[in-house]
Amino acid sequence: MKKVVKFGGSSLASAEQFAKVRDIILADAERRFVVPSAPGKRFPEDTKVTDMLYECYHMAESGQDFHRLLSEIAARYQEIIEGLSLSLSLKAEFETIEKNFNEKAGENYAASRGEYLNSIIMAAYLDFQFVDAAEVIRFTEEGDFDAELTNRILRERLETADHAVIPGFYGAYGDGRIKTFSRGGSDITGSIVARAVKADVYENWTDVSGFLIADPRIIEEPEGIDTITYRELRELSYMGASVLHEDAIFPVRREGIPINIRNTNRPDDAGTWIVESTCQKSKYVITGIAGKKGFCSVNIEKAMMNSEIGFGRKVLQAFEDSGISFEHVPSGIDTMTVFVHQDEFADKEQKVVSAIHRLADPDSVDIEADLALVAVVGRGMKSTRGTAGRIFSALAHANVNVKMIDQGSSELNIIIGVANEDFEAAIKAIYTIFVIAQL
Ligand code: ASP
């Protein structure tokens, strides 16, 4: 059995956190491959090392004196090294970083040093082998992650390693130049490593005990989710629930490796399991509720639309021509509605409207702004009658007007459009009917 364990920034922000992480790793001999993030915040007002590195590099790039900030970053690592009583010095590493900053090695290089240095410390602390991500995680010349090449290189490199620490967040082009993933990308590295070593589990250790059914900023102390499928998670994270980087799902998913989200500060909590498929019923009919504000609907009407072949294509062409992606397209007999992100759409709205008129010749086009979408997600909905009925009666009781309903044929989620100002009330009403009423 092999486990890949990734630790987030808050799990590695101080020597005290490092000690917890070591206890977790040593408690299970299968935890053989470790992927650290850069040190995160030690307290709420603190700054993540990655953010300090970006700022420091921008100072270097624009010719400002960046040395003070660089020594503050060095001090963050020194504090950890001393707190763990390690006989390790990063002096030479910081000299190289300073030199490379002066030579303008690039923002990606700069940001990657957070994970790189933290992994050197972690490898020394655990007495595991350090494997630089620049040698094993590859990007194509176009800057895309090269999944197959990486998998080959990484698999070969780790075949002979009993234990290894591989920094998260970055890799390199064929010529060695560093490239990072998008922010929060250490989650992706963990998943890539899990795929390469064919791990039995990918454990992702963070500062929460897994996913919650709803956003804790809206629902006070929401219940946790024990098990969620990849597809459910995709729906929820698309709609704003964030614990894991979205791109972290793909590498493990293709190998059927489950992800277990765990809490470094409460290692005994079981956390959330993210799996391909499960016969385990979720505790409630729904698995989670998520949503986002800031949508706009473009309502297009045309008599006899239903019999006009190609009408939908022409309408969507108008959006495509302006480079706007659409979110949902519910339609009626003579109406079609296109949901878009308001901030993307605002500048281009008149261009899109005139293109719709030109291409599709509708009777009218009407725009409604300040809408929110709420997604109710759950594999349990498929086999349960009355879910939609319960949602809508709960919303009616809460005085929330439903503007749009969209249920995909997968029966995995129901998406509801409401006014921005009804967003919180809608989520509370749905949570209450499915969770609180069942307790
Ligand atoms: N350190 C990087 C960030 O802050 C990547 C990560 O933590 O996953 O985005």
Side-chain angles (χ1 to χ4, degrees):
M1 289 269 280
K2 277 180 228 142
K3 290 181 183 166
V4 170
V5 286
K6 179 259 169 181
F7 290 88
S10 56
S11 302
L12 298 167
S14 63
E16 196 191 342
Q17 291 298 85
F18 261 73
K20 287 185 197 169
V21 165
R22 185 166 81 158
D23 287 347
I24 290 168
I25 294 170
L26 299 185
D28 183 344
E30 290 161 8
R31 296 188 174 127
R32 290 171 38 195
F33 301 97
V34 183
V35 176
S37 279
K41 296 182 180 191
R42 292 160 295 181
F43 41 88
E45 311 75 46
D46 202 11
T47 311
K48 287 176 163 195
V49 164
T50 308
D51 291 315
M52 295 168 89
L53 284 162
Y54 277 120
E55 195 190 332
C56 190
Y57 183 73
H58 290 147
M59 290 171 90
E61 204 179 29
S62 57
Q64 296 173 59
D65 183 4
F66 63 91
H67 296 91
R68 221 187 74 201
L69 188 50
L70 192 61
S71 2
E72 273 177 43
I73 297 170
R76 289 282 289 266
Y77 288 103
Q78 195 54 30
E79 189 184 293
I80 296 172
I81 291 172
E82 280 168 20
L84 299 174
S85 310
L86 293 174
S87 58
L88 174 74
S89 167
L90 295 179
K91 196 163 167 280
E93 293 290 351
F94 272 96
E95 280 165 13
T96 309
I97 293 172
E98 185 186 333
K99 179 173 148 286
N100 289 335
F101 273 31
N102 278 321
E103 288 171 7
K104 312 225 175 7
E107 184 184 74
N108 280 253
Y109 164 79
S112 74
R113 297 304 86 185
E115 272 68 13
Y116 171 79
L117 297 168
N118 228 20
S119 299
I120 291 180
I121 301 179
M122 182 57 85
Y125 186 41
L126 295 170
D127 198 16
F128 282 15
Q129 187 184 345
F130 170 78
V131 175
D132 190 352
E135 290 167 24
V136 287
I137 306 258
R138 281 297 187 79
F139 287 85
T140 64
E141 269 319 303
E142 292 73 44
D144 299 321
F145 168 58
D146 193 336
E148 295 318 311
L149 180 59
T150 298
N151 198 46
R152 242 179 299 136
I153 300 175
L154 195 53
R155 199 180 45 208
E156 248 170 55
R157 181 75 171 78
L158 295 181
E159 219 154 42
T160 51
D162 268 345
H163 297 89
V165 177
I166 307 108
F169 192 36
Y170 72 95
Y173 295 100
D175 63 6
R177 270 176 308 129
I178 300 284
K179 165 101 178 98
T180 61
F181 291 109
S182 58
R183 296 298 304 267
S186 298
D187 285 341
I188 310 173
T189 311
S191 182
I192 293 166
V193 175
R195 176 185 172 206
V197 302
K198 295 195 187 301
D200 298 275
V201 184
Y202 168 26
E203 289 181 348
N204 189 296
W205 291 81
T206 174
D207 52 7
V208 289
S209 296
F211 290 98
L212 299 170
I213 294 185
D215 187 337
R217 287 166 300 186
I218 300 173
I219 305 290
E220 215 178 298
E221 294 192 22
E223 292 262 316
I225 300 175
D226 306 335
T227 309
I228 185 169
T229 64
Y230 294 132
R231 288 166 69 211
E232 289 175 312
L233 176 62
R234 169 94 180 99
E235 307 265 354
L236 286 174
S237 35
Y238 172 75
M239 273 303 205
S242 67
V243 170
L244 189 72
H245 194 296
E246 257 195 286
D247 296 344
I249 296 175
F250 299 105
V252 284
R253 184 173 182 172
R254 56 195 299 165
E255 294 286 332
I257 301 168
I259 307 175
N260 187 198
I261 307 284
R262 301 286 291 267
N263 188 345
T264 301
N265 303 318
R266 296 175 57 104
D268 294 332
D269 288 357
T272 298
W273 284 91
I274 309 167
V275 299
E276 169 81 56
S277 182
T278 175
C279 64
Q280 283 198 32
K281 293 237 162 28
S282 47
K283 213 150 119 208
Y284 310 100
V285 173
I286 61 163
T287 304
I289 313 164
K292 279 193 219 164
K293 289 184 182 178
F295 291 94
C296 214
S297 72
V298 183
N299 307 308
I300 300 121
E301 259 194 70
K302 185 172 190 183
M304 305 304 286
M305 176 194 291
N306 64 327
S307 58
E308 186 180 329
I309 293 172
F311 185 84
R313 179 182 49 76
K314 291 175 200 156
V315 167
L316 294 178
Q317 183 76 48
F319 288 86
E320 185 178 341
D321 289 349
S322 284
I324 291 177
S325 75
F326 65 88
E327 301 299 309
H328 295 280
V329 188
S331 63
I333 309 288
D334 285 339
T335 61
M336 173 173 170
T337 305
V338 183
F339 272 79
V340 288
H341 282 282
Q342 196 158 326
D343 53 355
E344 277 174 30
F345 182 65
D347 288 350
K348 298 178 181 156
E349 63 170 23
Q350 294 314 320
K351 194 173 162 216
V352 175
V353 171
S354 60
I356 296 174
H357 277 286
R358 188 164 22 84
L359 295 167
D361 191 26
D363 295 339
S364 68
V365 178
D366 175 45
I367 299 174
E368 186 168 358
D370 303 323
L371 299 176
L373 293 176
V374 176
V376 186
V377 176
R379 58 189 182 278
M381 298 200 300
K382 197 162 187 158
S383 45
T384 317
R385 267 166 292 139
T387 312
R390 287 167 75 194
I391 294 175
F392 296 115
S393 77
L395 292 174
H397 279 108
N399 266 327
V400 172
N401 178 34
V402 174
K403 292 179 174 285
M404 190 273 291
I405 306 165
D406 195 355
Q407 178 185 318
S409 53
S410 66
E411 289 184 66
L412 193 67
N413 72 355
I414 296 179
I415 294 171
I416 303 141
V418 299
N420 267 348
E421 72 240 29
D422 286 338
F423 179 67
E424 284 82 7
I427 291 185
K428 280 185 190 147
I430 297 168
Y431 185 83
T432 305
I433 195 86
F434 285 103
V435 182
I436 298 182
Q438 305 295 307
L439 289 173

